[in-house]
């Protein structure tokens, strides 16, 4: 059995949905499949905006829902589906919830997740109806009914172990009916709807893959695999035929949007290969993510396989003379950050200072934490910083790589502000100013991915 996950553009309109149906039918000829779908492209953003409009009463949320309904209805009509009102029935309770939000002028994480869940609920129902109409019996299953049990951290819920017991007894009859599961969605033990974080449908696919012991998890998207850099920023980026779980995890974590960072974990635990494939170029072999790969020297024997960049980060620098021989200083710093619910991404330390990055959304929390941090260190918060990350298995074997990276950054006229290297020695991460990031990314790509191995 394989899991096939289709992202927003793969179900973005009637034509894309038809292509997707063809791919599912093709796969179904060789064995059972479980399908996972995202919301139609742009719909999750729209639902979030509608929720906000209801809270602030800035725009009539119900007329925005009409537009949302019309968008899905147009897809249904384009697919010549019957009983469109039944398919779009979830929209009725969406209206009720929005009336409640507008009345109370209050939008909780719980109601936001409830509202946003409609994107995947609708696309799964439409996709299941399309497959059935084409002669392949299918049924839509919502994430919570598929056995994905989470905690109550709305917006970025964590999956609970109960999930592994529940999925196999919830997603059954795969041989006769194709399940079309909503990506991105889970439910608490109490039956509240939750979401797994933006882009979380990839994670849903991996969760189902692990829960059902799939032989492969396929992520169908709008590019032909994981590329050596974001193709929107580096035109000459190339598809990487193979990556290890480790490499893919680093790339996803440091900003390669093509795959959600949490996707790798269930796949690694269950030892299931992941493939990233293009719905619009289905015969392209894409990228295979596997436990080990050969040659170990990186793509075509290169040290660096891919480079990511992530803009708009904060850098927190802490300097303390007391850090010298002061036991527990770092622990104090992290206790303060934890109390303010700040999650840091990269860290570099020296004897008297520590530097770390966090996403821009933590700016207010960090500003609140600063007075406490200043009690134990000289603290400085900088905004507008980009994290660049070079990843490749081959870096372990090539001691000169760091030199090449920083020489290229220097030639691009940028100043490196912080450097960090993972213990696994397959990534080098550093920080530059946002306005330098694109230039540095291109220079690194030219030097390390396209230049001589
Ligand atoms: P989906 O809706 O199918 O989940 P996403 O938009 O989440 O698709 O992810 C695919 C997009 O990720 C691509 O269109 C591409 O612009 C972007 N992307 C960023 N970095 C990379 C990379 N290194 N390789 C491939 N795609 C990347
Ligand atoms: N629809 C959700 C989002 O836009 C989940 C996903 O597409 O993976 O974030
Ligand atoms: Mg995605």
């Amino acid at each position: 059995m394989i899991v096939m996950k289709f992202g927003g553009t793969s179900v973005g309109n009637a034509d894309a949905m038809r292509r997707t149906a063809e791919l599912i039918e093709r796969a179904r000829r060789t064995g059972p499949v479980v399908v996972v779908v995202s919301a139609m492209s742009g719909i999750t953003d729209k639902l979030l905006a509608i929720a906000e409009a209801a809270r602030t009463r800035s725009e009539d949320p119900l007329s925005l829902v009409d537009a949302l309904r019309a968008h899905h209805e147009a897809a249904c009509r384009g697919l010549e589906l019957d009983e469109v009102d039944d398919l779009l029935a979830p929209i009725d309770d969406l209206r009720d919830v929005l009336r409640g939000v507008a009345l109370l002028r209050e939008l909780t994480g719980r109601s936001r997740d409830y509202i946003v869940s409609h994107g995947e609920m609708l696309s799964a129902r439409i996709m299941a109806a399309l497959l059935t109409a084409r002669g392949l019996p299918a049924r839509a299953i919502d994430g919570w009914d598929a056995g994905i049990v989470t905690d109550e951290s709305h917006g970025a819920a964590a999956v609970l172990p109960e999930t592994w017991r529940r999925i196999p007894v919830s997603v059954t009859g795969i041989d006769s009916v194709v399940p079309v599961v909503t990506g991105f969605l889970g439910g608490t033990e109490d039956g509240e709807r939750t979401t797994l974080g933006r882009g979380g449908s990839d994670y849903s696919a991996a969760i189902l893959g692990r829960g059902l012991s799939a032989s492969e998890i396929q992520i169908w998207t709008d590019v032909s695999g994981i590329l050596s850099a974001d193709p929107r920023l580096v035109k000459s980026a190339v598809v990487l035929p193979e990556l290890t779980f480790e490499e893919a995890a680093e790339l996803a974590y440091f900003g390669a949007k093509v795959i959600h960072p949490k996707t790798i974990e269930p796949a690694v635990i269950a030892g299931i290969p992941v493939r990233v494939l293009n719905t619009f170029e289905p015969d392209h072999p894409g990228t295979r993510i596997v436990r080990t790969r050969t040659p170990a020297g990186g793509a075509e024997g290169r040290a660096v396989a891919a480079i990511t960049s992530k803009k708009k980060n904060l850098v927190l620098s802490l300097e303390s003379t007391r850090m010298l021989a002061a036991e527990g200083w770092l622990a104090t710093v992290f206790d303060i950050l934890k109390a303010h619910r700040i999650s840091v991404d990269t860290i570099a330390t020296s004897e008297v200072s520590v530097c770390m990055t966090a996403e821009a959304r933590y700016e207010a929390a960090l500003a609140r934490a600063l007075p406490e941090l200043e009690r134990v260190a000289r603290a400085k918060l900088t905004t507008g910083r980009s994290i660049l990350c070079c990843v490749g298995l081959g870096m372990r074997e090539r001691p000169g790589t760091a030199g090449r990276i920083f020489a290229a950054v220097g030639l691009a006229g940028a100043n490196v502000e912080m450097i960090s290297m993972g213990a696994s020695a397959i990534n080098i991460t550093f920080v530059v100013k946002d306005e330098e990031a694109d230039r540095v990314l291109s220079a690194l790509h030219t030097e390390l991915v396209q230049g001589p191995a």
Side-chain angles (χ1 to χ4, degrees):
M1 190 275 294
I2 60 168
V3 176
M4 303 174 86
K5 176 262 171 177
F6 293 89
T9 36
S10 304
V11 293
N13 53 43
D15 278 347
M17 285 193 190
R18 233 181 256 115
R19 275 173 178 276
T20 291
E22 278 163 21
L23 291 171
I24 297 166
E25 287 159 3
R26 190 170 81 169
R28 189 66 184 79
R29 277 179 226 127
T30 57
V33 298
V34 170
V35 175
V36 176
V37 288
S38 290
M40 293 176 77
S41 53
I43 293 301
T44 303
D45 286 338
K46 281 226 168 69
L47 284 162
L48 287 167
I50 293 174
E52 210 43 46
R55 183 182 70 82
T56 56
R57 300 193 195 166
S58 54
E59 233 178 311
D60 175 17
L62 298 186
S63 63
L64 295 172
V65 173
D66 290 341
L68 185 99
R69 190 184 197 284
H71 186 76
H72 287 87
E73 195 177 329
C76 294
R77 302 271 174 235
L79 296 167
E80 296 170 25
L81 296 177
D82 299 325
E83 294 167 22
V84 174
D85 286 344
D86 288 347
L87 287 177
L88 304 184
I91 291 182
D92 296 337
D93 72 8
L94 175 61
R95 288 202 172 87
D96 293 340
V97 175
L98 288 167
R99 277 191 202 99
V101 169
L103 193 70
L104 299 172
R105 290 184 190 248
E106 187 188 60
L107 182 64
T108 59
R110 197 170 123 194
S111 41
R112 189 183 283 109
D113 274 356
Y114 190 93
I115 291 164
V116 105
S117 70
H118 286 77
E120 271 71 11
M121 289 176 76
L122 291 169
S123 59
R125 280 158 179 73
I126 297 172
M127 206 58 227
L130 174 62
L131 291 169
T132 307
R134 291 168 62 107
L136 182 62
R139 80 184 157 116
I141 309 181
D142 297 323
W144 46 88
D145 289 331
I148 300 178
V149 186
T150 73
D151 68 5
E152 286 158 14
S153 318
H154 288 283
V159 171
L160 299 179
E162 171 67 5
T163 300
W164 313 122
R165 194 192 61 76
R166 212 153 317 156
I167 288 178
V169 296
S170 306
V171 185
T172 52
I174 298 173
D175 290 327
S176 47
V177 181
V178 175
V180 181
V181 184
T182 59
F184 186 46
L185 310 179
T188 65
E189 293 280 14
D190 297 338
E192 299 290 345
R193 298 180 191 181
T194 54
T195 58
L196 304 175
R198 293 305 305 269
S201 298
D202 302 331
Y203 185 31
S204 305
I207 294 166
L208 287 157
R210 177 178 166 192
L212 297 166
S213 305
S215 57
E216 185 168 274
I217 298 159
Q218 299 182 346
I219 306 293
W220 290 86
T221 181
D222 57 3
V223 284
S224 296
I226 300 184
L227 279 80
S228 52
D230 184 341
R232 289 166 302 183
L233 301 175
V234 179
K235 294 280 167 274
S236 54
V238 290
V239 175
L240 304 167
E242 249 185 4
L243 285 173
T244 63
F245 286 127
E246 242 181 325
E247 289 174 301
E250 297 285 359
L251 289 173
Y253 184 74
F254 287 106
K257 190 197 167 205
V258 62
I259 185 163
H260 189 278
K262 287 187 184 163
T263 311
I264 306 300
E265 197 200 17
V268 172
I269 291 172
I272 306 169
V274 177
R275 260 208 298 164
V276 181
L277 296 154
N278 190 347
T279 304
F280 307 93
E281 200 189 342
D283 294 323
H284 192 292
T287 301
R288 252 174 84 77
I289 308 173
V290 290
R291 208 180 280 286
T292 54
R293 73 178 171 96
T294 47
E300 296 162 19
R302 284 170 205 282
V304 173
I307 309 161
T308 63
S309 67
K310 203 168 149 188
K311 286 199 174 124
K312 293 190 187 157
N313 296 274
L314 308 164
V315 174
L316 174 69
S317 328
L318 299 170
E319 226 179 287
S320 169
T321 42
R322 273 194 282 157
M323 189 171 169
L324 270 166
E327 266 176 39
W329 184 79
L330 266 182
T332 311
V333 166
F334 283 104
D335 282 344
I336 296 170
L337 295 175
K338 189 174 170 207
H340 289 269
R341 301 177 70 96
I342 297 160
S343 160
V344 300
D345 293 325
T346 342
I347 304 171
T349 59
S350 80
E351 184 63 17
V352 291
S353 73
V354 52
C355 224
M356 49 195 117
T357 66
E359 289 177 8
R361 65 191 158 109
Y362 292 113
E363 189 167 356
L366 269 167
R368 282 193 297 273
L370 271 189
E372 285 166 59
L373 291 167
E374 268 158 0
R375 265 182 243 141
V376 293
R378 272 190 299 278
K380 193 174 121 207
L381 188 61
T382 318
T383 59
R385 293 299 186 261
S386 289
I387 304 174
L388 276 102
C389 180
C390 298
V391 176
L393 215 56
M395 276 160 68
R396 277 191 194 135
E397 283 127 54
R398 306 216 179 183
T401 308
R404 278 180 76 185
I405 291 174
F406 295 114
V409 179
L411 280 176
N415 188 26
V416 174
E417 296 186 5
M418 171 184 161
I419 302 171
S420 152
M421 189 164 175
S424 60
I426 64 158
N427 80 58
I428 289 181
T429 308
F430 57 91
V431 170
V432 297
K433 292 192 179 72
D434 274 350
E435 54 273 25
E436 295 166 345
D438 291 353
R439 200 165 74 230
V440 171
L441 177 67
S442 291
L444 285 174
H445 194 267
T446 306
E447 166 66 21
L448 289 130
V449 179
Q450 294 171 297

